[in-house]
Amino acid sequence: MTQKILIIEDDTDIAEVERDYLSINGLEADIAEDGIKGIELEKKNGYMLILLDLMLPGIDGFTVCRKLREITDVPILMVTARKEDIDKIRGLGLGADDYIEKPFSPNVLVARVKANLAQYNRLKESDAQKQTVINIGEYSINTSTHRVFKRGFEVELKNKEYELFLFLVMNCDVVFDKETIYEKIWGFDALGDTATVAVHINRLREKLEDDPSKPKHILTVWGVGYRFKD
């Protein structure tokens, strides 16, 4: 079955290039020229991945991302021409799984799309096969429902936050550098922006640590990377 992508992009030329390259690589895509239409199409059709431009007329990409996250858990890739890190951080904080900067090679875009799709599909297939509850310290993770609990209270995690937390928990006390984490969680080697990893680590600390500024479980190993300690 063909996996359909939604492209939310107001620049028709860019949107059509993205669609053409996805089509060449066996992926169908629909185009929405603004955020409102994009949200409507997602509600109507349900896509496997969404390419979301940051600079949109009317409702900006940040607001669209937040609204999309209320109705779908599929990967959202933010496409941005802005260089400021704050834009990237805001986008990821609202639930985007990854981002890619303009100008970009269409081949790189396709590779990033396929990597995110593969990660999402593997996770879904694994969940369909088994239901496992992992208890570690004060945390409990249901790998079938993607629900995470701390001291019995549920903590809502976005897709990549959940995957990252599960990965660290399953490799307790093992130190991973940013490059390795990016490859394992985002499924794409080196060409990705490893700043994404730091953003997600901070988000996990905000949600799961009693004092995010003095984490006891999601630890930084200075000069090396990150590890989880129960």
Side-chain angles (χ1 to χ4, degrees):
M1 183 176 65
T2 302
Q3 300 185 89
K4 294 201 70 173
I5 310 298
L6 175 60
I7 300 170
I8 306 178
E9 167 66 69
D10 64 313
D11 188 317
T12 303
D13 292 337
I14 292 176
E16 290 181 350
V17 168
E18 292 174 345
R19 182 177 62 187
D20 290 346
Y21 268 83
L22 291 170
S23 177
I24 291 171
N25 286 272
L27 299 167
E28 293 183 8
D30 291 334
I31 297 173
E33 66 273 9
D34 59 53
I36 293 176
K37 183 177 180 181
I39 293 168
E40 291 174 350
L41 283 175
E42 170 57 31
K43 288 180 177 178
K44 178 181 178 181
N45 300 324
Y47 296 89
M48 292 299 294
L49 181 143
I50 299 170
L51 281 172
L52 174 60
D53 188 57
L54 178 63
M55 299 296 290
L56 293 170
I59 304 177
D60 66 29
F62 295 130
T63 303
V64 175
C65 183
R66 188 179 68 247
K67 290 182 178 294
L68 286 170
R69 268 292 163 255
E70 295 173 357
I71 59 176
T72 182
D73 68 346
V74 302
I76 297 175
L77 275 66
M78 296 284 267
V79 181
T80 175
R82 294 185 180 183
K83 300 298 182 183
E84 297 88 345
D85 286 343
I86 188 63
D87 286 336
K88 302 172 186 176
I89 293 170
R90 286 180 62 201
L92 291 166
L94 289 170
D97 295 280
D98 201 358
Y99 61 82
I100 184 168
E101 292 185 3
K102 296 177 182 177
F104 52 80
S105 161
N107 288 326
V108 169
L109 176 68
V110 170
R112 296 280 281 276
V113 166
K114 285 190 171 182
N116 276 275
L117 279 173
Q119 286 289 99
Y120 181 74
N121 289 333
R122 280 196 296 270
L123 197 61
K124 288 298 184 183
E125 289 171 4
S126 175
D127 291 345
Q129 293 170 1
K130 62 181 181 180
Q131 177 172 330
T132 302
V133 176
I134 300 169
N135 295 301
I136 183 166
E138 59 189 359
Y139 303 107
S140 178
I141 306 171
N142 187 312
T143 60
S144 177
T145 62
H146 292 194
R147 298 175 73 188
V148 175
F149 298 84
K150 177 181 177 180
R151 300 180 192 134
F153 293 94
E154 185 170 4
V155 179
E156 183 180 350
L157 299 182
K158 306 299 184 183
N159 281 341
K160 285 296 186 286
E161 294 169 357
Y162 168 81
E163 292 177 38
L164 176 55
F165 184 57
L166 180 62
F167 174 73
L168 292 174
V169 166
M170 294 296 290
N171 295 279
C172 187
D173 287 325
V174 179
V175 180
F176 294 97
D177 59 33
K178 291 180 182 179
E179 290 75 15
T180 300
I181 292 174
Y182 191 91
E183 182 179 353
K184 294 292 185 181
I185 303 303
W186 280 263
F188 199 78
D189 189 16
L191 290 176
D193 189 336
T194 56
T196 300
V197 176
V199 170
H200 280 74
I201 288 290
N202 288 336
R203 295 288 295 177
L204 285 179
R205 286 172 175 164
E206 290 172 4
K207 294 183 177 183
L208 294 169
E209 295 279 3
D210 290 337
D211 184 353
S213 65
K214 297 178 181 178
K216 295 181 179 180
H217 303 288
I218 304 168
L219 305 180
T220 297
V221 180
W222 296 107
V224 183
Y226 303 101
R227 72 182 177 96
F228 179 84
K229 178 183 178 182
D230 65 9

